[in-house]
Structure formats: C-alpha cells, structure tokens
Amino acid sequence: GNIVEAEGNYFRIAYTEETRNDDDTLTISVSCEHIVYDLIEQELDYYTADGTATQMLETLLSDTAFMVGDVDTSEVKTVSIQEKQNKKDILYAIASVFGLELKFEKFKINLVKRGSDNGVQFRYRRNIKGITRIVDGRNKVDGQPSVAYGLDAVMLEQLFGDSEHFELGDTVRVYDEGLGVDVTTRIVRMRYDIEERMTADVEIANFIPNVTDTLTHIERKTITKEKVYNGVTIGPENGFVAERSDKMARNTMNATFGNMLELGDGEGNYEAVFYVTIENGEAKLNLKGNAEFTGKILASLISASDIKGGSIEIGDNMFAVDNTGHMIANSAYIQGLIEASEFIGGKIIITNEAETERVILSVLDGFRFQAFDENAGEEGEWIDSIWMEDGKGKFFGEIISSTITGGLIRTAESGRRIEISDNQIRCYNDDGNLNGFVTNNASSQFGDWEFYDNGTLVFRVYNRLVGGGVTLRPEGGANLIIGSGGAFLRLEGDISIGGPVIINGRSLSSLSTKTAGGTYGANEQEMLQEIYDKLQELI
C-alpha cells in the first residue's frame, strides 16, 4: 500500500516476496504498479461524453487524487462506452479517440503527442546485442499482419550524450543486414534497470492493441445468440442514437428535440412515443402511453382527462389528495355531477342561478333551505325556510303538496294550538289543555267527535257503528243544550223518546197523558199545547 518514488514518478507497492538466501541473508522482492492503477477501483456502468479532452479529463478525475496536466489538443469529440468500465480504461479510451498518449508525472496526467524523432538508430553489433522479429497474422494493420521487433539494446547515452537518448514513444530506425531488417517505427515498450541504465529490452512495432480495441474485443466476446443488444451511433445529423438489435425500440438524443423514444415493429418502422417538440418558442413534452413518477412534479398547469395513483399537493397544501383518497381543498368550483356516500365537516352552499334560493350544508349552520328577502336589512338577507335546530326540523313558509303522511302537524309548539298526529285532531287552550274539538279514532270508537272544557270531556258525538247511527251525548255530568232563545228549533224524522223530556224546565213523563195545567199562563199553555200536538204528530 505504500508509494515508491522512482525516476520522478509514483508507484504503489502491490506485491512483496521475502526470501532467506543460501548465505543466510534476507532479501525482499517488491513489485509495484503506477498509481494510475488506483483508478481501476472506480467503475462506471457506462461512459458518454462530448467536448474537449480537457473537459473529459477534468470530469473523469474530479473525485480522484489526480489532476489534469498538459493537453495537446482543443478538438471537440464524443466518447461513448456502453459497457461497465473502470476509470483507468476510460482514460486510455479518451487518449485513443483524440489520437494522443498519456504521460504521467506522479499524480498529474498529461495527454500529449508522446515521443520524438531524434535520428536514433539501432544497428547490429553497434547498440543491438540481439534482435527478434515477430509477425502476427492474428492482429492486422491495414489488412497486413502486424510486425514487432524485440531488441536487446545497449543504452549509449552515458557514453555519447543526448544523441543516443531514446525513450518510450520515440521514432527510431532499426537496421540488421543479416535479417534484412531496415524499418523506422516507434518504441512501444521498454524494460531496463533504473540503477544501471546500461541495457534495455526494447519493443518496436507497427501495431499495439489499444484500449478501444480491447473494449470492442470484450464486447464481441460477450454477445450471446438470441439475446437483444443495443447499438449506439453518434453523428452530426441525429446526435446520439441507441437502437435495439431487434428493431423494437430506438432512442435518439440531440439538440433539435432533446430526447425521443420510438417503438418499432421489428422491420425498421418506428413510431415516436416519448419526445419533445418546440411550439411557439416553448418546449412541449409528448407522451403516448403510461407514466409513473416517484418524485415531485412542479407545474403551473396540469390538463388531463384521468389522473391516477400517488398523492397531489398544490399551493403548499391549499389543495391536496393523499394516496388513500382524502382530499383537502380551501375552495372549489365544480360543474357537473358529484356522487358521494358521506360528507363530513366543512360547508357546502348550492345557489340557484337567479340567486333567490340556496341550500346550506355545514358543521356550523347544519342543514338549511333559505330564500333571499331583498327587503330585510339594509341590503337584503337570507331567511331560513327549512332548517335543523336542536335535532328537530324547522319550517317557515308555504307548503304545496299533494300528500303529507305521518309525523306531527301543529300550529304552535306549545300553548294554544291545533295538532294533527296519531290519526287524531286535537285543540289546546293557552294552558296546553284539551279544549274544544277533538277526534277519537281509536279502533273501538272510530269516528267519535269529542268536546273538552279545559281538559275535561263534556260532549261526544258517538259513532254507534254497524249501522247503529250517531248518538249525541254529554259527558262528565255536563248538560246538553240544543238551540238558543228566540231561535226556531226544528226536528225532522221519527223521534223516539226513551226517558224524561224537560221543556222550559218542566219534565214531561208521558206525552199521551200529560196536559198543561192551570199553573201555566195562557201563553205557556198555548205553546205547550202546540208542542204536544206537534210531538204527537211526529210520533
């Protein structure tokens, strides 16, 4: 884990091997790798960037210990890697896209045109101790096999100065008459002793696999038959396009419409289902299908025929609907049908178009029908017509109805009143006692009429039932008086007298034997005689 500094660079100790030797000495072998290998531990699911190399490096290294150094280009390009990769490999991919190479100075990373052509030559028996030529038909350059040379070279810089200096990336000439070698190419790998710097294993080649080749190779190796893959293309006309291999879906991103998702039929025909258009200078999102949001939606206007799921909050809880269906609204204007199984709390006012009648449902006012009286108060008032109070229904005004069934109808709540209830009609005086006309519709006396005097029954019109006629009879010892003084009393029909008859205070026990005696005056005798004669006629 410790860092070793060598030749102006940092290397992290990755492997150690301790050994006891034959001469009883202890040695330790240490293997190190450049600190850029720390970037292997940071992986990205994919990487896509568009811009300059400097911008890409700064973004890629922003959360690492590395910094961006010299960059030999200001070109704008696009890098797209659609496979999970670590940041070290992405770093090499960026360098490959821009045609540059990486040069490390401790934690500083430079992207430069590495190497130079100082005219250095490698010749057999001069500065080459041995040479190997490798031809590989598996890796081709422009259709030709790649060729690499391995040199066991002598480092003559200490003897002849800078003219013999060479390093990684330099262009050099290799000459060996015996092998027929005379090529000019680059140094792609070097191995040497950092203390002695006398000889070096040098590899020069016209081909060396870069990271983009490796990524392509890895991607091809992982392709499985019958599996659906996404192909990615980037161009100036359509921007970024990702298309499924079965042509069932395609996604395009560019500056014209932002992001467009299309569904295909597998034959190359597509229909846009999610895209952005510009209408009257404003962006409009178009979606054909369903949408699910798990975060917050901020909008000045939502127009929809159907909204389902989740909760809604508008205006800092001014209007809210939670995921259980409970709604909070400070006010509402609704046109159309409202159906509900239960209303609790709040206030509902329904007013007719002419604003002359209204209905109120509220916790404070209860249930009220009101009419507007423009003559009440200074500007008119709403007057209750039907309302609830103390658990009772109240009514004021005119009732127009064809049928009223059940309950109690009375002219006043107490005191003098007439009541209709329980199939009866009753009259009460100021003291709340029965007084005057009362019906008696009990099953055994159905149709009786009764008259009360301050709570006492004094007269009854008795329904004899079963064709028995009607009886007029006083009750409670009260007198029955028919007619009034000076008025003509007329009786028609058969009259049956079953008991004493009193006329003008006199009792007549039998009409057949009784005559007006001398105790009566002449007028009285004449009147009695006329009554007698008439009764006899009637009898």
Side-chain angles (χ1 to χ4, degrees):
N2 290 318
I3 291 178
V4 173
E5 182 178 353
E7 295 194 322
N9 236 316
Y10 284 159
F11 300 85
R12 192 176 298 280
I13 297 175
Y15 175 85
T16 61
E17 184 176 306
E18 299 178 50
T19 304
R20 178 177 293 278
N21 302 304
D22 293 342
D23 57 359
D24 206 27
T25 59
L26 300 176
T27 59
I28 181 170
S29 174
V30 179
S31 295
C32 303
E33 55 189 22
H34 194 273
I35 54 173
V36 74
Y37 278 77
D38 290 351
L39 295 177
I40 292 178
E41 299 178 0
Q42 298 186 33
E43 288 188 332
L44 301 179
D45 291 335
Y46 62 90
Y47 178 80
T48 299
D50 185 79
T52 65
T54 301
Q55 293 170 337
M56 294 183 189
L57 292 181
E58 288 176 345
T59 301
L60 185 68
L61 303 176
S62 61
D63 56 349
T64 70
F66 295 89
M67 65 187 71
V68 180
D70 298 330
V71 178
D72 287 352
T73 181
S74 58
E75 287 185 277
V76 175
K77 292 190 176 185
T78 301
V79 176
S80 178
I81 302 175
Q82 300 304 311
E83 298 284 340
K84 179 179 286 189
Q85 293 297 329
N86 60 66
K87 287 192 173 183
K88 171 183 166 294
D89 288 344
I90 296 174
L91 191 66
Y92 278 93
I94 294 173
S96 176
V97 168
F98 284 93
L100 300 174
E101 295 178 272
L102 297 166
K103 185 175 182 180
F104 306 105
E105 298 177 73
K106 298 181 179 177
F107 283 102
K108 184 166 69 173
I109 298 177
N110 306 288
L111 190 59
V112 296
K113 297 177 181 179
R114 187 165 188 171
S116 59
D117 187 353
N118 298 320
V120 174
Q121 296 183 4
F122 290 102
R123 289 179 175 269
Y124 179 62
R125 291 183 178 175
R126 179 179 181 273
N127 56 356
I128 298 178
K129 297 171 62 177
I131 182 172
T132 302
R133 179 169 62 185
I134 303 170
V135 179
D136 189 354
R138 297 171 300 179
N139 294 317
K140 295 185 177 182
V141 179
D142 297 330
Q144 300 297 321
S146 63
V147 180
Y149 298 88
L151 308 177
D152 186 6
V154 179
M155 305 177 73
L156 302 177
E157 181 181 354
Q158 297 184 23
L159 297 176
F160 300 104
D162 291 342
S163 62
E164 294 295 330
H165 174 76
F166 59 88
E167 62 181 39
L168 191 65
D170 283 355
T171 299
V172 297
R173 182 183 180 187
V174 179
Y175 180 77
D176 186 330
E177 184 177 357
L179 288 177
V181 175
D182 186 358
V183 297
T184 300
T185 185
R186 297 185 71 208
I187 299 176
V188 296
R189 185 179 289 112
M190 289 179 59
R191 181 197 298 266
Y192 57 89
D193 190 309
I194 62 174
E195 290 186 341
E196 296 180 357
R197 296 186 67 88
M198 295 299 295
T199 61
D201 292 334
V202 178
E203 183 176 337
I204 60 177
N206 64 349
F207 172 82
I208 183 170
N210 57 37
V211 74
T212 55
D213 299 319
T214 304
L215 295 180
T216 303
H217 180 62
I218 293 174
E219 184 177 350
R220 287 175 179 169
K221 279 174 38 177
T222 57
I223 290 179
T224 306
K225 187 177 181 181
E226 305 298 337
K227 184 177 179 181
V228 176
Y229 290 91
N230 290 301
V232 177
T233 59
I234 300 174
E237 182 177 353
N238 296 320
F240 179 93
V241 180
E243 184 176 27
R244 276 176 39 162
S245 58
D246 60 0
K247 297 186 182 299
M248 296 300 293
R250 180 172 66 187
N251 191 45
T252 304
M253 290 187 293
N254 55 45
T256 302
F257 45 73
N259 190 353
M260 180 170 65
L261 177 64
E262 301 170 284
L263 296 182
D265 59 2
E267 301 295 332
N269 302 310
Y270 289 94
E271 179 185 4
V273 294
F274 178 91
Y275 56 98
V276 179
T277 57
I278 304 299
E279 296 183 5
N280 300 324
E282 295 183 351
K284 179 181 179 181
L285 177 64
N286 299 271
L287 173 64
K288 295 182 180 179
N290 300 324
E292 181 176 345
F293 299 92
T294 57
K296 179 183 287 187
I297 299 177
L298 301 177
S300 59
L301 174 64
I302 297 177
S303 177
S305 59
D306 191 14
I307 299 178
K308 295 182 180 180
S311 61
I312 300 173
E313 180 181 341
I314 300 175
D316 192 18
N317 219 33
M318 297 294 287
F319 175 84
V321 181
D322 63 21
N323 54 13
T324 63
H326 295 293
M327 182 182 75
I328 298 174
N330 284 3
S331 63
Y333 177 75
I334 301 174
Q335 288 184 326
L337 176 65
I338 298 177
E339 295 185 2
S341 59
E342 184 176 11
F343 282 97
I344 301 176
K347 187 173 185 179
I348 298 175
I349 299 177
I350 303 174
T351 306
N352 68 343
E353 186 174 356
E355 297 186 354
T356 56
E357 293 96 24
R358 72 181 185 182
V359 179
I360 296 178
L361 300 174
S362 73
V363 175
L364 180 63
D365 299 318
F367 175 83
R368 295 179 182 271
F369 286 86
Q370 296 180 327
F372 187 76
D373 186 352
E374 58 183 8
N375 298 318
E378 295 181 359
E379 299 180 356
E381 294 181 0
W382 288 98
I383 306 300
D384 289 334
S385 296
I386 302 174
W387 69 99
M388 294 292 295
E389 186 176 300
D390 298 329
K392 299 178 181 179
K394 306 286 185 176
F395 173 82
F396 177 81
E398 179 182 359
I399 295 179
I400 300 176
S401 174
S402 59
T403 304
I404 298 177
T405 304
L408 169 65
I409 299 176
R410 61 188 179 187
T411 58
E413 185 175 0
S414 61
R416 184 186 305 177
R417 66 192 185 275
I418 298 174
E419 289 186 356
I420 301 175
S421 68
D422 297 331
N423 204 31
Q424 308 290 348
I425 301 175
R426 300 181 180 91
C427 297
Y428 294 86
N429 61 13
D430 293 338
D431 296 328
N433 297 322
L434 289 173
N435 202 84
F437 178 73
V438 175
T439 64
N440 187 341
N441 289 324
S443 60
S444 61
Q445 296 176 284
F446 198 85
D448 287 4
W449 291 4
E450 299 175 346
F451 289 86
Y452 282 79
D453 181 9
N454 196 27
T456 300
L457 178 64
V458 295
F459 177 73
R460 172 177 290 162
V461 177
Y462 181 75
N463 185 6
R464 301 180 68 91
L465 302 177
V466 195
V470 176
T471 300
L472 304 180
R473 74 186 188 192
E475 299 285 351
N479 296 323
L480 174 61
I481 299 174
I482 301 175
S484 62
F488 177 73
L489 176 63
R490 180 176 177 177
L491 300 177
E492 295 184 0
D494 296 336
I495 298 176
S496 174
I497 297 176
V501 177
I502 298 176
I503 299 177
N504 287 343
R506 303 294 181 176
S507 177
L508 301 179
S509 58
S510 175
L511 290 176
S512 60
T513 59
K514 296 295 182 181
T515 59
T519 57
Y520 293 96
N523 291 334
E524 292 175 338
Q525 292 181 25
E526 182 180 355
M527 180 190 70
L528 290 174
Q529 187 62 47
E530 290 177 354
I531 292 174
Y532 174 81
D533 294 340
K534 185 64 177 177
L535 289 177
Q536 286 284 53
E537 178 185 348
L538 293 174
I539 292 172

